[in-house]
């Protein structure tokens, strides 16, 4: 089965589980292909799943990359990248306002 047909089926049935439950509604060639690769389909679905119930033993804030430091501006100015210090200031301000706001 090609990517276009697979995409069409995913859009139509929304989930692998719904597709498998509706396998009798598929064209014979599609049904045969899915039935022959059923185990791989289920495994692929499981491997692609993003687990959200994983316990974290650290604070997400502790994982923040500390990109901005005092020496950064001196280094930027030393290599004379025009406007870069201003861009970094804008990024730094945006980070202060928005970084980790969803995790507070």
């Amino acid at each position: 089965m090609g990517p276009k047909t697979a995409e069409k089926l995913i859009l139509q049935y929304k989930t692998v589980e719904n597709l498998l439950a509706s396998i009798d509604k598929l064209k014979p060639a599609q049904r045969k292909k899915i039935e022959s690769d059923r185990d791989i389909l289920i495994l692929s679905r499981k491997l692609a799943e993003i687990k959200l119930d994983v316990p974290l033993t650290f604070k997400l804030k502790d994982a923040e990359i500390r990109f901005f430091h005092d020496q950064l501006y001196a280094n930027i100015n030393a290599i004379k990248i025009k406007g870069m210090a201003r861009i970094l200031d804008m990024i730094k301000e945006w980070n202060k306002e928005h970084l980790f706001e969803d995790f507070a």
Side-chain angles (χ1 to χ4, degrees):
M1 177 177 305
K4 288 182 182 179
T5 303
E7 181 181 12
K8 185 185 107 184
L9 293 174
I10 290 169
L11 290 172
Q12 182 177 351
Y13 292 101
K14 308 292 185 220
T15 68
V16 169
E17 293 77 14
N18 289 345
L19 175 62
L20 292 173
S22 305
I23 201 163
D24 57 314
K25 297 177 184 173
L26 300 177
K27 296 176 184 176
Q30 293 171 336
R31 182 174 40 239
K32 183 178 178 183
K33 180 67 176 160
I34 289 174
E35 286 173 343
S36 69
D37 292 331
R38 186 177 192 277
D39 292 341
I40 293 171
L41 176 63
I42 293 169
L43 178 61
S44 296
R45 161 65 177 90
K46 187 173 183 173
L47 292 172
E49 183 177 353
I50 297 173
K51 301 298 272 178
L52 300 174
D53 59 347
V54 177
L56 298 177
T57 58
F58 66 93
K59 294 179 182 160
L60 195 53
K61 182 78 173 155
D62 294 340
E64 178 183 2
I65 296 172
R66 310 268 191 273
F67 179 76
F68 298 99
H69 52 81
D70 296 335
Q71 191 61 37
L72 178 64
Y73 291 98
N75 292 341
I76 293 296
N77 290 329
I79 58 176
K80 296 181 172 56
I81 299 177
K82 275 192 167 183
M84 183 56 78
R86 185 175 38 97
I87 292 169
L88 290 174
D89 283 337
M90 290 173 17
I91 294 170
K92 189 175 185 179
E93 283 305 309
W94 185 90
N95 280 343
K96 283 182 187 175
E97 295 172 14
H98 301 288
L99 195 62
F100 299 108
E101 65 188 12
D102 293 336
F103 304 105

